[in-house]
Amino acid sequence: MNTEEHANDSLNESENTNNTPEVTKTPEVKTEDTATTESTDTVVEATETTEPVEESIADSTTIEATETAVETTEEPSPSEVETPSKEPVAETTTSTEDEEDHEDDVKEQTLPETDYNTLDEVALIAAMRHLIQEYPINTIKSHVDEIKKVFEVKNSASEKEAHEAHAAAHPATEETPTPEFIYDNKLGREFNDLHSLYRKQRGEFQRQQRKMQEDNLAKRKEIIESIKNLIDEEENIGTTFKKFNDLQAAWRETGKIPHDAYNIVWNDYRLHVQNFYDYIDLSKELRDKDFERNLGFLNKIIARADELATEPNVHKALRELQELHRMWKEDAGPVAKEDREPVWQRFKAASDVIHDKRTAYYEERDKLAVKNQTIKENIIAEIQKITSEGAKNHKGWQDKLQEINVLKELFTTTGPAPKAVNNSLWDQFRTVTRAFNSAKNDFYKEIKKEHQANLDKKMALIAIAEEHQDSENFRESLEVMKRIQREWKEIGHVPRKVSDKIWKRFQTACNNFFDKQKSQKKSENAEEVANFDAKMKIYDALKEMLPQDDLDAMKASIEKHMQDWAAIGRVPYAKRHIQDKFDKLLKAKLKAAGMNAVDAEMMKYENKLESLKNGDDRDFKNERFYLRKRREEIENELRQLDNNMQFINTKDDKNPFMVQIKKNIASFNEELALIKEKSKQLNILQRQIEKAAQEEATAQEAEANPEVETEENE
């Protein structure tokens, strides 16, 4: 096999209807067929020609056209682009795969790259429809397959969520099982219909392509047969050579043929072309001229290949280099034997430079992909960590959410990982983000339940506040209002949409009560001021009372002042000290009237009891609390004094310290006896009041039911 065959066989057939070079993988280098090479060495003397001979190679403008023949496109993946073999190849073979799988998508790399994993089901359907409507059906296979894969995953997740929701909404009981779950997914039906349309259109396209390729195969066989027959024609060399050039042009213009027939037909064509050169009676001058023109064409191809070494876009350089190999193989004719190997080595060297750049590019990209894999694995681990940590409140979850959003942005903007793990990493990323969202949603579900429980509690307090806002019993309702205000503060948050509304309602009820209570208090304050003035007059009158010889008359006069004092109601809180002043004055006057301290204290306490008759339960509780507290204080003092006596010689009656202790003990015992008497009198008074209240209630009941009373009397 000659060096031209090496060049032409370095790539598989790349012709297509879109004029875009088709990239195919080349097999390993085989040994040359020397027999074929030697056949071209024979120099055939040419006969004299009377007609001009057309050039056998493409016009020089063909090379210039290659600079714009390949469009700049999105970067294809390593699986989509294969560079030419570094060495010439003798044969190219194709597999016997299924026609649909073997047929390459044209201009697949021109479609915009899209991360379909980020789209929802509706957007995936829209993307599929856009591809079918806007792009040739043979250019979208890989995109459609990716969309189908992502849609099936998302659709399966949607079905699972719907199933779980159905089970939660219809829990099984002993009497009724959960009804059958039927998943009616309109989006799934729409996607399946759209995918069926795609398969139908693609199948029709493939049938048309197969028929066109078979027609082209028939044309090429006819061209080969015509070249074969040229040797037997008895025409002048000019006419024969013109027919040969026309047949070569027709060969180049014929489109793609079936892959499984390509190598056989191509080798057959090359054989008969070589035979034509070997056995046609050409003049040496004419053949040398043709060799020279072909060499010039190959030199232009090599020059363009050398220029591609400086092209920064590796993929663009590879695609244009592929077109140059096609031109070397399809468009160029043979050259002189001594030029064949050198010219091929020059072209191969230029191709090796681009191949090495491609290798270096993918090595670097593979390193970057591994780095991206590490970054994405770390992001997934960090999201898992954040999810496991969780948060205890709304602010904590919002902070976590911001962290997750930053990680999600970093994950989506990080380049692809190696293909073997890229989809797996994406699935892991979706799983951990869903786990975070699930944990966050569970927290807010619990918060929602808690807010609803708090709302119920506050609504109960509102009901109490509204019940007491018009109460006339200010003393009792005041305690209730203070209590529910404390409880309101202790209750946590409620749903935000009702927070202001219920607060205004509660505030209004409380304000209504306190406004009414304040108004009532103002009127009471006026009465209390009047009471204070009246008590001051009694106090002044008692203070001006002079000692009398008639002690009984003096006692009667003091007792009258005590009764008048007790008959007067409350005084302002700020003036309550008047009671202590009156008690001290009263004690002094009673002593002046000849009464001992105990009798004077009890008589004074009777005045206290008189004031309690007009009081309520709270007044009795306060008085009882005071007496109990004072009794406990005295008992503690007595125990302390008794303890002190243990360290003193009790036989020494003249010991001043002993004398003082005994005096204190006697004083405390007297006061203790007095307190016990006061408690006794207080209990008697309270029982009398309770008895009177009970009798009054019985009398009121009797008045309300006179017939019952009559029947009982009968």
Side-chain angles (χ1 to χ4, degrees), residues 181-363:
F181 172 70
I182 301 176
Y183 186 55
D184 183 17
N185 185 6
K186 296 181 180 179
L187 294 177
R189 293 199 302 273
E190 183 179 357
F191 181 83
N192 291 334
D193 293 343
L194 197 59
H195 192 265
S196 297
L197 174 62
Y198 160 75
R199 290 181 60 84
K200 180 179 179 182
Q201 292 182 1
R202 182 176 174 85
E204 181 63 27
F205 172 82
Q206 290 174 338
R207 285 190 291 273
Q208 293 175 359
Q209 289 292 105
R210 183 69 182 185
K211 185 178 183 306
M212 181 185 68
Q213 291 173 3
E214 290 175 351
D215 292 342
N216 292 336
L217 176 61
K219 291 179 183 178
R220 291 201 170 189
K221 286 181 178 179
E222 291 177 1
I223 293 172
I224 293 172
E225 191 65 25
S226 298
I227 294 175
K228 179 180 178 182
N229 294 333
L230 283 177
I231 300 175
D232 299 328
E233 292 183 359
E234 296 181 358
E235 295 179 331
N236 64 60
I237 191 62
T239 301
T240 302
F241 203 75
K242 183 177 184 302
K243 289 182 179 181
F244 174 71
N245 286 337
D246 290 341
L247 290 172
Q248 281 190 314
W251 177 274
R252 290 191 294 268
E253 292 171 359
T254 304
K256 296 176 69 173
I257 65 174
H259 288 273
D260 51 3
Y262 177 78
N263 284 330
I264 297 174
V265 174
W266 175 254
N267 290 331
D268 198 16
Y269 169 75
R270 297 296 296 175
L271 173 64
H272 290 290
V273 167
Q274 194 66 47
N275 288 340
F276 176 81
Y277 275 99
D278 289 340
Y279 298 108
I280 197 69
D281 191 11
L282 291 174
S283 67
K284 184 176 183 301
E285 180 182 355
L286 184 61
R287 190 181 66 170
D288 290 345
K289 183 178 179 181
D290 194 47
F291 282 168
E292 183 180 351
R293 289 173 180 172
N294 292 341
L295 180 61
F297 182 69
L298 294 180
N299 285 333
K300 290 181 179 180
I301 292 178
I302 295 171
R304 181 55 189 160
D306 289 335
E307 293 176 359
L308 290 179
T310 61
E311 170 60 48
N313 188 326
V314 175
H315 301 289
K316 180 180 177 182
L318 285 172
R319 287 190 291 272
E320 190 167 342
L321 180 64
Q322 176 186 336
E323 175 65 9
L324 294 178
H325 274 263
R326 186 201 65 77
M327 293 169 64
W328 185 287
K329 178 180 182 181
E330 300 262 353
D331 299 339
V335 296
K337 181 179 179 181
E338 64 272 13
D339 293 328
R340 291 173 186 171
E341 187 62 23
V343 76
W344 165 249
Q345 290 300 327
R346 286 170 56 204
F347 185 48
K348 177 179 175 295
S351 300
D352 287 346
V353 172
I354 300 174
H355 173 81
D356 292 341
K357 287 181 64 177
R358 180 258 188 194
T359 302
Y361 170 82
Y362 281 113
E363 287 178 353

Side-chain angles (χ1 to χ4, degrees), residues 368-432:
L368 181 60
V370 172
K371 182 179 179 182
N372 292 339
Q373 177 184 355
T374 302
I375 293 174
K376 291 188 174 184
E377 288 174 345
N378 290 338
I379 291 173
I380 292 171
E382 184 64 21
I383 293 177
Q384 288 177 322
K385 179 182 177 182
I386 292 174
T387 303
S388 62
E389 290 175 351
K392 297 181 179 180
N393 51 44
H394 168 71
K395 184 180 183 304
W397 278 108
Q398 291 304 306
D399 292 342
K400 298 290 185 185
L401 182 59
Q402 290 183 3
E403 294 179 28
I404 293 295
N405 288 336
V406 171
L407 293 173
K408 288 171 67 176
E409 179 69 19
L410 179 59
F411 189 95
T412 54
T413 54
T414 301
K419 278 190 173 182
V421 298
N422 196 46
N423 289 337
S424 175
L425 286 174
W426 176 255
D427 292 339
Q428 293 178 48
F429 173 71
R430 292 179 61 193
T431 299
V432 295

